[in-house]
């Protein structure tokens, strides 16, 4: 009876759609950005540890602290983001107070915080790839795109699947970021299932 009540409730059904939008967009963005950063870090020989230390800082901050930091940065009247936009001649926005921008703002903050996690997992996969197939491809005259498509992607497939699955599970369970920044609002525009 409880399941029937939940699955016939329009607010719960809307929260399922919102959760899926949040999860799909944030995880795909984190995967793409994380892969690009990991690829760049994999090519760096000197100072890799320094760059990596800087990149993982957002991941080490708790979600509540991240929410409070971004809530202040994006404040419509006192936030530095709107101040900088207006300084450049633009118009500030109510980033988490307007239904058009609230979910996108939450996704941006989640991507900012969780991309280092994806970078870490993907970089571990890239570092562990065997060198022999790349040498053979270079000798055969394969270009960068062919090497990526025929060697890197197939070898990285298990790592990418695990990284995507772990982040999707985390994104589906999102609660604290929503609670701290929007409390499911404005209206029900950012109400996710867990909230």
């Amino acid at each position: 009876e409880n399941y029937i009540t939940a699955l016939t409730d329009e607010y719960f059904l809307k929260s399922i759609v919102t959760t899926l939008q949040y999860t799909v967009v944030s995880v795909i963005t984190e995967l793409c950005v994380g892969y690009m950063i990991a690829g760049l870090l994999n090519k760096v020989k000197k100072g890799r540890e320094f760059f990596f230390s800087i990149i993982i800082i957002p991941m080490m901050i708790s979600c509540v602290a991240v929410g409070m930091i971004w809530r202040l940065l994006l404040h419509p009247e006192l936030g530095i983001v709107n101040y900088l936009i207006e300084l450049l001649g633009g118009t500030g926005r109510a980033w988490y107070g307007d239904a058009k921008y609230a979910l996108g703002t939450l996704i941006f903050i989640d991507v900012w915080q969780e991309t280092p996690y994806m970078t870490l997992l993907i970089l571990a996969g890239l570092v562990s790839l065997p060198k022999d197939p790349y040498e053979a491809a270079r000798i055969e005259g394969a270009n960068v795109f062919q090497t990526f498509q025929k060697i890197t992607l197939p070898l990285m497939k298990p790592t990418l699947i695990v990284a995507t699955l772990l982040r999707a599970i985390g994104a589906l369970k999102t609660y604290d970021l929503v609670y701290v920044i929007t409390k499911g609002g404005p209206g029900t525009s950012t109400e996710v299932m867990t909230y």
Side-chain angles (χ1 to χ4, degrees):
E1 189 176 325
N2 287 335
Y3 286 107
I4 291 169
T5 303
L7 293 173
T8 55
D9 182 79
E10 67 176 288
Y11 291 114
F12 184 71
L13 294 175
K14 186 179 181 317
S15 75
I16 292 173
V17 172
T18 303
T19 304
L20 291 176
Q21 287 175 330
Y22 178 88
T23 301
V24 168
V25 173
S26 63
V27 170
I28 289 173
T29 306
E30 290 162 12
L31 181 67
C32 294
V33 174
Y35 195 94
M36 287 188 289
I37 294 170
L40 291 172
L41 281 175
N42 195 34
K43 292 185 189 315
V44 172
K45 300 300 177 206
K46 284 188 177 181
R48 181 189 295 183
E49 294 81 13
F50 172 74
F51 291 119
F52 194 69
S53 300
I54 291 172
I55 288 171
I56 65 168
I57 288 172
M59 185 178 78
M60 297 186 301
I61 305 171
S62 75
C63 279
V64 174
V66 166
M68 293 303 293
I69 291 167
W70 280 102
R71 190 170 167 85
L72 293 172
L73 290 173
L74 297 171
H75 192 277
E77 295 166 8
L78 307 172
I80 188 84
V81 173
N82 277 348
Y83 172 75
L84 292 174
I85 290 172
E86 289 168 5
L87 197 65
L88 296 171
T91 305
R93 305 254 189 274
W95 297 105
Y96 52 83
D98 188 338
K100 289 190 295 189
Y101 306 112
L103 187 60
T105 300
L106 286 177
I107 290 169
F108 170 79
I109 295 167
D110 184 67
V111 168
W112 178 82
Q113 185 181 21
E114 297 297 336
T115 296
Y117 178 69
M118 290 294 258
T119 303
L120 178 69
L121 293 174
I122 293 167
L123 184 61
L126 287 173
V127 168
S128 67
L129 292 179
K131 304 288 183 237
D132 297 340
Y134 292 98
E135 291 174 12
R138 192 171 32 242
I139 291 169
E140 294 294 326
N143 63 29
V144 175
F145 179 73
Q146 290 170 329
T147 305
F148 174 76
Q149 184 183 17
K150 301 291 185 185
I151 299 172
T152 306
L153 208 51
L155 290 174
M156 284 293 294
K157 189 177 177 183
T159 303
L160 295 175
I161 289 171
V162 169
T164 304
L165 193 59
L166 289 173
R167 257 319 289 141
I169 291 168
L172 286 169
K173 297 189 306 182
T174 295
Y175 171 80
D176 36 14
L177 203 58
V178 174
Y179 179 77
V180 170
I181 296 176
T182 64
K183 294 192 177 24
T188 58
S189 62
T190 60
E191 216 169 70
V192 292
M193 287 187 301
T194 51
Y195 187 79

